Amino acid sequence: METVVIVIHLMVVLALVLVVLLQRSEGGALGIGGGGGGLMSSRGTANILTRATAVLAVAFFATSLTLSLIAKNQDRPGSILDAVPTATQEVPATTEGGSGGVLDSLKQLNQQQPSGPQVPAAQ
């Protein structure tokens, strides 16, 4: 379903760009817009291109919203940390009944080392 909507979205985008580029330039910023002649009158061509632009713009917004709703409803993990596999290594349990995590090992290190300033032993 997602692939079909993406293909339709890309076709709409290409058609929209083509229709916008075909329209006559009103400002003449670069002096290249508004060449004369064609199959239809300038008024009829402008009318058709304006309507085509409006229809393609609506189709663009519709496919964009559809793609965002499809992406929202897919089953994906909410965080990259949820996708990390858990380690299967054996962690030694502590004697205090802890889970053997990092905090427990830090507590053990803290208990083994004396705290506070130490006076050197006299020789």
Side-chain angles (χ1 to χ4, degrees), residues 53-77:
T53 303
V55 169
L56 289 171
V58 168
F60 174 79
F61 283 116
T63 55
S64 296
L65 288 174
T66 304
L67 285 172
S68 66
L69 289 174
I70 289 173
K72 177 186 171 194
N73 292 332
Q74 283 184 350
D75 293 331
R76 292 188 180 170

